Amino acid sequence: MSPKLISLQVAMPRAVMCNGEEVSTGIFKVPVLKRVQMRAFNLDGDRQADLSVHGGRDKAVYAYPSEHYAYWKKELPGTALPWGSFGENLTTEGLLEGEVFLGDRFTIGEAEAVVTQPRIPCFKLNLKFQRDDMAKRFLASRRSGFYFRVLREGEVGSGDEIVRVGQDENRVSISDALKVYLGAPGSGEIRKRALRVKYLSDAWREEFSGQV
């Protein structure tokens, strides 16, 4: 069966309190039932709060595999986990980190997008779950999800097929990219291949170029 879009989520930034200070965040995504336009910088109705670390062309849309929810339900008993709980715009089925490669192109509804990098969580995931250890646990799980750059704008909606229309020849999976980021032994060869990926995000290209 083809991968598909299980649920679509958007949110505008809102203010929450963190250590007595007001913080703006767009992590509280909520499902939308209608079809929406996927644009170069985000989905209609969606915004990122801190553009210095979120959003931009390389991180216009965030996807997270629905398959990981079973793991988190065991890890976080008693915690409500509706689709979008991890701040994802797209909750997917059939696209796991070991099978999705940097630079892979997919059509989703009328849109076309390309994979640019894994997601590294920030402290706002802790805010979302009201746990000081959530970002650390998320990264340690290696269940990162991944970001898309939008190559062709168009309408998308829940139930759409996600069709791989191009696969990058360097074959660096999202799981592999995380290994490089985390400095896993023997990942130097993967790093070199990752740097050859045309659509590797600028931030990760800089990160990988600085590694020795």
Side-chain angles (χ1 to χ4, degrees):
M1 292 180 64
S2 297
K4 64 180 180 179
L5 178 56
I6 297 296
S7 185
L8 176 71
Q9 289 81 222
V10 300
M12 300 299 285
R14 74 190 214 195
V16 296
M17 297 303 295
C18 177
N19 298 323
E21 296 185 4
E22 194 173 87
V23 174
S24 181
T25 177
I27 200 171
F28 292 89
K29 309 294 186 191
V30 293
V32 289
L33 301 180
K34 63 180 182 179
R35 300 184 66 77
V36 302
Q37 194 78 5
M38 182 185 286
R39 302 190 187 275
F41 289 96
N42 43 45
L43 296 164
D44 279 0
D46 191 64
R47 294 290 185 278
Q48 299 88 13
D50 184 354
L51 294 178
S52 68
V53 291
H54 299 293
R57 287 188 183 275
D58 288 336
K59 295 192 288 185
V61 179
Y62 174 49
Y64 196 68
S66 62
E67 291 88 343
H68 296 335
Y69 274 75
Y71 169 85
W72 289 114
K73 285 176 181 177
K74 292 179 181 178
E75 288 288 306
L76 305 169
T79 302
L81 293 174
W83 300 135
S85 289
F86 300 95
E88 75 268 20
N89 299 113
L90 311 178
T91 310
T92 63
E93 181 179 84
L95 292 175
L96 296 176
E97 288 85 352
E99 303 158 358
V100 173
F101 300 86
L102 296 173
D104 281 2
R105 294 182 292 110
F106 294 89
T107 57
I108 310 169
E110 298 176 350
E112 182 177 337
V114 61
V115 177
T116 57
Q117 67 167 77
R119 185 253 191 106
I120 301 299
C122 71
F123 74 97
K124 291 179 180 177
L125 195 63
N126 294 345
L127 290 180
K128 175 73 166 54
F129 284 88
Q130 298 185 347
R131 299 181 60 112
D132 292 338
D133 64 346
M134 191 59 201
K136 182 178 180 180
R137 291 177 68 170
F138 186 89
L139 183 58
S141 76
R142 304 295 193 269
R143 292 164 170 83
S144 67
F146 45 91
Y147 283 103
F148 282 120
R149 178 173 181 163
V150 178
L151 299 177
R152 183 180 71 241
E153 298 183 348
E155 279 192 353
V156 298
S158 299
D160 283 351
E161 280 193 339
I162 303 175
V163 181
R164 195 184 329 241
V165 294
Q167 191 162 63
D168 187 85
E169 62 184 4
N170 297 288
R171 303 283 288 178
V172 179
S173 71
I174 292 298
S175 296
D176 285 339
L178 274 174
K179 291 177 184 176
V180 179
Y181 182 88
L182 295 171
S187 59
E189 188 273 334
I190 301 172
R191 178 181 65 84
K192 292 177 182 177
R193 281 191 284 123
L195 286 168
R196 294 198 291 265
V197 176
K198 177 181 178 180
Y199 286 106
L200 177 68
S201 72
D202 288 345
W204 279 57
R205 187 173 302 280
E206 182 178 350
E207 172 76 23
F208 285 3
S209 295
Q211 293 183 7
V212 294

